[in-house]
Amino acid sequence: MVAPATLRVVRCGGSALHGARAVFSADSYLLCASGDFVKMYSVATEETLRVMGGHADLVTGVQLNPHNHMQLYSSSVDGTIKLWDFMDGIPIKTFTVGSKLLALYALASSEDSVFVVIPKSGERDTFQLVSVKLTKAAGQDLEAKELSVVLDGVDASPKRIAFGREGEYVASVKEVNLQVYFFKQKQLNRFSVSATKTKSGNNHFTCIACHPAEDCIATGHADGKIRLWRNFYHKKEYTFSTLHWHHDTVMDLAFSIEGTSLLSGGVESVLVLWRNESDRQKDFLPRLGSAIEYISMSSDGALCCTLHTDNRITIINSNLRFSKSIQGLIKSTDVKTGLVVDPRTKALVLNGEPGHLQFYCLQSDQQLFSLDIVQRQYIHQAGLNQTDLVKVAFSAQGKWLATVEEREEVTDPELQLKLWFYDEETQSFKLNTRINMPHDDHITDMCFRDMDELEDDSLILVTAGRDCVFKVWVMVEDTDPEAQQSVSWSCDFVGSYHNYQATNCCFSEDGSLLAVSFEETVTVWDSVTWDLKCTFCHPPGKIRNICFGRLTCSKYLIGATDYGFLCCWNLLSCALEWSAHLNVLVLQPDPLSEYIAAVSWLSKESSLFVFKPNEPRPIYIQRNLCKEKIQLAAFVPRDEPETIGSEKYLWLRRSQLFFLTDTQELMTLSTKSLEERLTPSSKQLAVEESLPVTPFSLLLGKHRRQQSQKDIGLGKLVCNKHEQDSPAVKELLHTPAHVLPSASFLCPIFINSLLISKESKSAEEVADEVEMESEKTEDDSDEERDVTEMEQEDASPVELLGEMTCKLSKSQEKELRKIRKIDYSWISAF
């Protein structure tokens, strides 16, 4: 028996990648904070190599250990500092500080301490920069209570504190004040700029960076100016110069490793490179997508990266050339499309950049691609009414995509319905039909007839609108000779009910019935004749969600009202089967089972109820699912059914439930422990094959599996030895590279070790040999008799067509008989 696991609510992805400044390792890996986790990316492949979890709250800082570049410090709001071996993803030590940690700094000059920003006890919105002594005692969980205050009244943002001259001084900015503390002299100098907003701009500090070799401090300001401060050892004789290009707030600054150039970024999505601190010598890398939140430099100065507000990491070469981009889940202010699952890729599809549709991979926590739906330039200016994407629907096999975009106007909204066809050659969606003003008012819902077998022949799209009608759209042959496609979409039927607004629509599992809700009433229509079959209502309250049951529960129709009722109607008896008093915000059926998930909001907490329509009692209930309000949910089919130990969790066996909160956090329910969820697939594969985790060993393992499948497919039972037990393979894979002999010497040995030896024979070959052994005596006697007869014949040559007949020797005759007995049937498999 498998021990029943407890169901956990876990943050599965979509966390902000710009919560703290990213760092480059010496081996060109990129480490950054992502929610409660620390992620390690490959700079070369953009792949997520490690996900290190263990913090109980938001990670606020990551810093390489200055005394061991294979280790990493991370700080969190949970009050702990963790030391990681990031190459293996293993936590080495955990230091408990106790206070909330809002920023982290590690210096080479401080051997056994780090610097953190914590709230000042007893005072609200006041923070301190303190030094934390990390004890070297034995054990993994240690207390770090020895704190010493360095600066008072600092800002909580990590980009507003910087250390200069290898830790000789620390500079901090807050509002219009700059303070510099010198450690050796224990001297504190304070400077300020004009607090009043003048025509020249807003002088408030936004970020700070210190020159690596010289006594120079760069500060960014809210008006887009950059000030370079010098001679700040003196309180009155300080000087500063000004650089200005940004038209709005300077978000972050970073000096190059040598200090010869300065990088700046802001809301313009442009990275600016200032050379020699001159206003005239500057280069630009524009169109980076969104506002730049952080700028980081690699230790060798060859790369830099920018972290953006849309959850993107951009890796840039030292010559200011774009190199790589890692895109996470783009968090939109309002996800109007809902959570939709792409049937092809099983990716979550929702609003991305303005006017775009993002396809988000749940496994890699990265964006697969973005589809430009609106195809118009978005203007970043408040108060403008711009076209936005509001509805999305996929056909059953993912061949067709329907989108609705609208622009809010004072009088009438502008609407467009677009139908996209998936092109196998280009592996992308192409626009097939554009319909202007499909409804006279906002479209509230739309759905395809979900029938796999009728995907190409009788595909139907239904849209419901506030103009009190629903419309049926079908494919027709395009008669236009200049049209590039053979089919297009047109309206086939318009339905209404007592001039009520149509709010929801959905098809039954077999596609024979269409349910459309009109305010307080649910109507059921025949999808062939479009006759109204029956109506259901449960006043008071308008229908908020509707869905049909599936599989054995396909005779039921479920509806939720905004007055807090969940209703189940029987389609055969046309009567109410049961109802429950429940304020359901989200109603989501599992496409692969009879289960339906309902999420309610009551007393400022979200609760989950999972039920079957034929049973009024829920199968699973989880109160206080999360602190945030759940807005959307979606069942995503699993690649393989999950092994579930408890019966009450069987509803998670074939699909996994994901939900999005009002704070744009993507969460899921899991029965796996944290360690199981964080084990990479490559690591699991290596454990199964007992091979080290190297690209070459994984390639070799894949080759072996393909070879074994090929042999089984040919009908051969191959008795292979374990090649990984070969001394040559072990020597090549386990010996350090710097002590190995030359490749020309190792290559023949390694290739020979991969060959199948003659001793390992197939079952048919063994059977043939047994048969040949049993006939050996008979063959030998036949050969002797044939030779005797040939000797008795006339020895004169016999001419045949002008050629001499060749006499075969005894060994040649024996070889010929062996060849005749060999089975060549395996050739037919090719």
Side-chain angles (χ1 to χ4, degrees), residues 21 31 52 81 148 188 221 337 420 423 462 465 500 514 552 574 599 671 696 725 727 731 760 822:
R21 196 184 304 275
L31 299 126
M52 292 170 276
I81 299 172
S148 57
L188 178 62
H221 297 262
T337 60
W420 307 75
D423 190 352
V462 173
Y500 292 146
L514 170 68
T552 59
C574 295
V599 179
T671 56
F696 183 72
D725 295 336
E731 201 70 26
S760 58
I822 294 176

Side-chain angles (χ1 to χ4, degrees), residues 589-696:
D590 181 6
L592 300 181
S593 68
E594 300 95 340
Y595 300 105
I596 297 176
V599 179
S600 69
W601 176 255
L602 187 64
S603 301
K604 295 185 178 181
E605 71 174 30
S606 295
S607 301
L608 173 65
F609 299 85
V610 180
F611 63 94
K612 286 184 178 181
N614 58 354
E615 299 176 6
R617 188 181 299 274
I619 297 170
Y620 176 78
I621 299 175
Q622 180 155 341
R623 304 280 183 182
N624 195 14
L625 190 64
C626 64
K627 298 177 182 178
E628 297 87 4
K629 189 175 182 179
I630 295 176
Q631 289 184 326
L632 304 165
F635 275 101
V636 179
R638 298 183 188 271
D639 294 330
E640 294 181 0
E642 188 83 4
T643 303
I644 304 295
S646 176
E647 289 187 2
K648 64 178 181 179
Y649 302 145
L650 286 177
W651 59 277
L652 285 172
R653 185 172 178 268
R654 301 192 64 185
S655 300
Q656 189 172 1
L657 180 63
F658 293 86
F659 46 91
L660 194 71
T661 65
D662 55 356
T663 57
Q664 306 297 303
E665 292 291 339
L666 186 64
M667 297 185 177
T668 187
L669 296 168
S670 175
T671 56
K672 292 184 178 180
S673 64
L674 182 66
E675 291 76 14
E676 291 175 322
R677 289 188 286 109
L678 297 183
T679 302
S681 58
S682 58
K683 190 172 181 181
Q684 293 172 354
L685 178 64
V687 170
E688 292 172 3
E689 298 197 359
S690 302
L691 290 174
V693 186
T694 63
F696 183 72

Side-chain angles (χ1 to χ4, degrees), residues 224 226 243-247 250 252-254 261-266 268-275 278-279 281-286 288 292 295 304 306 316 320:
I226 300 171
L243 306 175
H244 196 185
W245 178 85
H246 299 277
H247 83 280
V250 179
D252 200 18
L253 295 167
S261 58
L262 175 68
L263 292 167
S264 66
E268 304 89 357
S269 309
V270 178
L271 184 65
V272 185
L273 176 67
W274 307 85
R275 301 184 188 277
S278 172
D279 207 357
Q281 299 182 25
K282 54 182 178 289
D283 293 321
F284 306 95
L285 181 61
L288 291 178
I292 297 173
I295 303 172
C304 77
T306 55
I316 302 162
L320 221 61

Side-chain angles (χ1 to χ4, degrees), residues 394-397 447-453 455 459-460 507-511 550 591:
F394 283 93
S395 62
Q397 296 179 357
C447 62
F448 280 96
R449 182 158 69 174
D450 203 8
M451 299 178 66
D452 294 342
E453 65 274 10
E455 175 76 22
L459 195 63
I460 293 175
F507 278 99
S508 61
E509 185 180 15
D510 61 357
R550 303 183 72 87

